[in-house]
Amino acid sequence: IKYESVIHEFDPYFNYRVTQFLSKNGIYEFWNWFDDRTWYPLGRVIGGTVYPGLTLTAGTIWWVLNSLNIPLSVETVCVFTAPVFSAFASWATYLLTKGSGAGLTAAALLAMVPSYISRSVAGSYDNEAVAIFALIFTFYLYIKTLNTGSLFYATLNAIAYFYMVCSWGGYTFIINLIPMHVLLCIVTGRYSPRLYIAYAPLVVLGTLLAALVPVVGFNAVLTSEHFASFLVFIIIHVVALVYYIKGILSPKMFKVAVTLVVSIGLVVCLIVVAVLVALVASSPTGGWSGRSLSLLDPTYASKYIQIIASVSEHQPPTWPSYFMDINACFSPLSDASSFVVLYIVMSVYFSGVMVRLMLVLAPAACIMSGIALSQAFDVFTASIKYQLEEKISTNNETKDDASSAKGEKVAKERPSKKGKKKEREPADKPSVKSKIAKKKALVLPLEASIVALLLLIMLGAFYVIHCVWAAAEAYSVPSIVLTSQSHDGLHVFDDFRESYAWLSHNTDVDDKLASWWDYGYQTTAMANRTVIVDNNTWNNTHIATVGTAMSSPEKAAWEIFNSLDVKYVLVVFGDLNINKFLWMVRIGGGVFPHIKEADYLRDGQYRIDSEATPTILNCLCTGTNLS
């Protein structure tokens, strides 16, 4: 915690406001809450448009603590929810990683990895705070069910998936990754009843439970993100039926039955595919959401949906981001890690498309690194132990040889039964010698093992130093507090909160305020004033209207804002607004053709100096910054 216990970033302020409403008014009022302070004059139905997992979790924690006479405020509970669930995520990573050594190493890595710290630091009250734990725990229960074939764990897996659906829209990663793994097992001939038990209840119970979440509803069966799970569900039933028939019929009858079953299965699959194609064809986006299409086609958002492309978390990461956020390392593959291998391959791809999904990659990278580091430590420590034992035994044998030299001469002069027995021993010893030679071949030299072990310890120390630095400098500073470093020390600027406090104390309760959508959640939560747009970004036309006003001359902007009953306009002075300005132009121009990006560029370049175009100098947003 830096400066004080405070909510970070932008989206967490909406979650905090919703949690306040839940704790004050109860769950029934929460489900039916129509918020008229956002998206004026449209408003927003909160209960049907929000993933409720984070809010219900924090609200439950607050209620339990107050029932136990521990009087913590809602804000304090919200601030510390993420750190608490980061401990749960480390525990789930330990369970998911096979082996105590590898599990402890992976859990320790996840507890420190900067990519996860960015969403688990105190004050980061966003959906991912609880969703990453739900993601890892769902994967653990799936693997547990796959290993045991227990319906109990299969039911728990469906419940964990339901909690993930409640918490974050990234649940579609689970419902696509698990079917891919099931299909991989079927194709490679590793089908078993345990695989069926691990998958079938998850699809049936998980889908039914997911449909209970208002923000998901019938999308659980109507959108393209879920269709892969249903196709694999049909395939696994066809395969299960084939294996069942094989066990009760003769080989000759089995061939006939398989032909019949496969034919019927293909017909059913074709019918299902035809229905899905019809559903997809009726949707202009093919049944996919804009964010999903951006993952499948990284250029989609920049071409068609500028509002998605304008979000910094949706930009592709740079290579330094992998070192900064993951401190990436790679490990050898094991026979039992096909699911984790598939997990890390898919998460690497998706994190390469959208920097926000580095969160999904972090647990997979920590698990693979934990396995690699644990095995490396085992090899190096075993080599050192073996080499030291061999040296000790060699010294003892040298002493024994010197003391028994005389005895051997006597034994040669008087051969006995023991002597005859010793003559036959060499014929029995090659197997033992071969085992020792084989063991010796796997052992590294003593010096190399010590050096490698020291290098691993140094690498771990540097990793800890890097993680502590990243957590302290990059992720512990709330975005609403600005700082600058000069010769006379650190200066803290609390301008954001002072501005929101001014609005709260100097404007009427019913006044409407216009700003770019980034500041909508903070304005409603901290100033308690009605905003035109906010970070939910559900209505592109409404955001384009604000973008058009911001990129228009003051007179035209006044006419637009006056039609929306706006009395105040929040414009952030400096680089923050200038950096966002071109997105206002692009989003506004996507709906209103008279706004053209070329009018704001000088020879194709975005200039804010003396060479800036008259259009950019006279518009509402940048004119106040550049004049």
Side-chain angles (χ1 to χ4, degrees):
I1 297 177
K2 220 168 189 179
Y3 310 127
E4 61 179 288
S5 177
V6 65
I7 304 291
H8 289 208
E9 299 302 331
F10 300 101
D11 289 6
Y13 274 93
F14 169 75
N15 298 325
Y16 166 55
R17 180 167 171 257
V18 173
T19 308
Q20 278 186 315
F21 184 90
L22 172 67
S23 61
K24 182 179 179 180
N25 298 284
I27 190 168
Y28 292 106
E29 292 294 329
F30 164 71
W31 290 125
N32 297 301
W33 180 23
F34 178 80
D35 186 8
D36 58 356
R37 289 203 170 274
T38 61
W39 293 92
Y40 180 84
L42 306 174
R44 178 185 174 187
V45 180
I46 300 297
T49 59
V50 68
Y51 287 96
L54 176 67
T55 301
L56 294 177
T57 300
T60 303
I61 293 173
W62 176 84
W63 179 80
V64 170
L65 291 175
N66 279 267
S67 300
L68 298 174
N69 290 322
I70 304 176
L72 291 181
S73 66
V74 175
E75 183 181 12
T76 302
V77 173
C78 294
V79 167
F80 290 100
T81 295
V84 169
F85 272 81
S86 67
F88 294 158
S90 296
W91 169 67
T93 303
Y94 168 77
L95 296 176
L96 179 59
T97 310
K98 189 176 181 181
S100 57
L104 288 172
T105 307
L109 291 174
L110 184 69
M112 296 182 290
V113 66
S115 179
Y116 184 46
I117 284 180
S118 66
R119 297 293 177 157
S120 62
V121 70
S124 182
Y125 186 59
D126 211 346
N127 290 330
E128 295 91 333
V130 298
I132 298 302
F133 159 71
L135 176 83
I136 302 170
F137 196 60
T138 302
F139 286 156
Y140 161 70
L141 290 172
Y142 169 71
I143 296 298
K144 185 74 173 179
T145 309
L146 191 60
N147 290 334
T148 61
S150 169
L151 278 173
F152 173 73
Y153 285 112
T155 305
L156 290 181
N157 189 28
I159 295 173
Y161 172 70
F162 171 60
Y163 183 62
M164 178 65 184
V165 175
C166 290
S167 301
W168 190 32
Y171 75 90
T172 53
F173 182 74
I174 295 177
I175 206 59
N176 284 278
L177 182 65
I178 290 179
M180 289 175 64
H181 180 252
V182 171
L183 190 62
L184 176 66
C185 291
I186 292 172
V187 170
T188 54
R190 290 189 287 117
Y191 170 81
S192 66
R194 291 179 287 105
L195 182 68
Y196 179 86
I197 294 172
Y199 184 68
L202 174 64
V203 174
V204 176
L205 292 177
T207 302
L208 290 174
L209 290 172
L212 297 177
V213 182
V215 71
V216 177
F218 285 104
N219 288 334
V221 293
L222 294 178
T223 55
S224 298
E225 287 94 339
H226 304 83
F227 289 166
S229 61
F230 302 140
L231 288 174
V232 175
F233 185 73
I234 295 172
I235 292 171
I236 198 173
H237 275 84
V238 172
V239 173
L241 184 58
V242 168
Y243 273 86
Y244 174 74
I245 293 172
K246 185 179 181 180
I248 62 175
L249 296 180
S250 62
K252 187 175 181 180
M253 292 296 295
F254 173 70
K255 291 181 180 180
V256 178
V258 163
T259 304
L260 181 62
V261 170
V262 171
S263 301
I264 295 174
L266 286 174
V267 171
V268 173
C269 284
L270 289 174
I271 293 172
V272 171
V273 169
V275 172
L276 296 181
V277 169
L279 287 172
V280 166
S282 63
S283 171
T285 60
W288 296 90
S289 65
R291 286 181 176 83
S292 298
L293 286 172
S294 299
L295 292 175
L296 298 175
D297 178 10
T299 64
Y300 178 83
S302 59
K303 290 179 181 177
Y304 304 108
I305 311 179
Q306 296 292 339
I307 186 63
I308 293 178
S310 68
V311 182
S312 60
E313 292 178 340
H314 297 167
Q315 303 298 323
T318 58
W319 276 112
S321 297
Y322 282 93
F323 181 79
M324 170 70 178
D325 290 341
I326 301 292
N327 226 230
C329 57
F330 300 93
S331 64
L333 306 181
S334 62
D335 296 336
S337 62
S338 62
F339 178 76
V340 177
V341 171
L342 190 62
Y343 174 19
I344 196 167
V345 168
M346 298 305 297
S347 58
V348 163
Y349 166 73
F350 289 125
S351 67
V353 175
M354 194 177 288
V355 67
R356 184 180 187 179
L357 295 182
M358 295 278 280
L359 277 168
V360 178
L361 172 62
C366 291
I367 289 169
M368 299 295 279
S369 301
I371 294 171
L373 290 173
S374 178
Q375 290 182 350
F377 269 102
D378 288 344
V379 170
F380 297 144
T381 53
S383 298
I384 294 171
K385 181 180 179 182
Y386 178 81
Q387 294 282 8
L388 292 176
E389 288 178 350
E390 191 177 52
K391 282 191 175 184
I392 294 171
S393 61
T394 302
N395 293 335
N396 292 336
E397 287 176 5
T398 304
K399 291 178 183 179
D400 293 341
D401 290 343
S403 61
S404 61
K406 294 180 180 179
E408 288 182 0
K409 290 182 180 179
V410 175
K412 285 180 181 178
E413 292 174 359
R414 292 189 298 172
S416 62
K417 290 182 181 180
K418 289 183 181 180
K420 292 177 182 179
K421 202 173 184 180
K422 284 182 181 179
E423 289 176 3
R424 291 193 298 268
E425 278 181 4
D428 301 330
K429 284 189 177 179
S431 61
V432 178
K433 287 183 177 180
S434 65
K435 288 181 181 178
I436 295 173
K438 187 177 180 181
K439 185 179 179 183
K440 212 169 183 180
L442 298 174
V443 174
L444 298 174
L446 179 63
E447 295 78 7
S449 299
I450 293 174
V451 171
L453 196 60
L454 290 174
L455 288 175
L456 275 181
I457 294 172
M458 289 179 61
L459 179 65
F462 282 125
Y463 175 80
V464 172
I465 293 171
H466 168 76
C467 292
V468 171
W469 174 85
E473 298 298 328
Y475 299 125
S476 293
V477 181
S479 61
I480 60 170
V481 178
L482 306 177
T483 60
S484 68
Q485 188 76 36
S486 63
H487 65 279
D488 56 346
L490 181 69
H491 297 273
V492 179
F493 303 98
D494 207 10
D495 293 354
F496 276 104
R497 288 193 290 183
E498 289 177 1
S499 300
Y500 295 135
W502 186 93
L503 286 170
S504 178
H505 290 96
N506 295 278
T507 61
D508 292 335
V509 175
D510 294 328
D511 284 347
K512 281 73 179 176
L513 185 139
S515 67
W516 192 231
W517 61 264
D518 295 65
Y519 311 107
Y521 280 166
Q522 287 186 349
T523 304
T524 51
M526 302 181 73
N528 193 28
R529 292 297 176 265
T530 304
V531 296
I532 308 302
V533 294
D534 63 24
N535 310 55
N536 186 241
T537 66
W538 67 274
N539 191 315
N540 188 61
T541 303
H542 219 48
I543 293 176
T545 302
V546 174
T548 301
M550 290 289 190
S551 53
S552 299
E554 289 187 11
K555 184 177 180 181
W558 181 87
E559 292 177 355
I560 295 172
F561 284 143
N562 189 50
S563 67
L564 294 171
D565 299 330
V566 171
K567 286 194 175 181
Y568 298 91
V569 178
L570 174 64
V571 178
V572 180
F573 181 82
D575 291 343
L576 284 174
N577 238 35
I578 291 172
N579 291 338
K580 299 176 189 296
F581 178 69
L582 276 186
W583 289 113
M584 302 180 192
V585 174
R586 291 166 183 165
I587 295 169
V591 177
F592 303 100
H594 69 277
I595 301 292
K596 295 180 175 59
E597 184 177 350
D599 296 339
Y600 300 83
L601 303 178
R602 173 79 69 181
D603 299 327
Q605 294 183 343
Y606 181 36
R607 302 291 294 269
I608 57 173
D609 53 11
S610 59
E611 296 296 321
T613 63
T615 308
I616 202 172
L617 289 173
N618 294 320
C619 68
L620 174 68
C621 181
T622 53
T624 57
N625 281 271
L626 301 177
S627 59

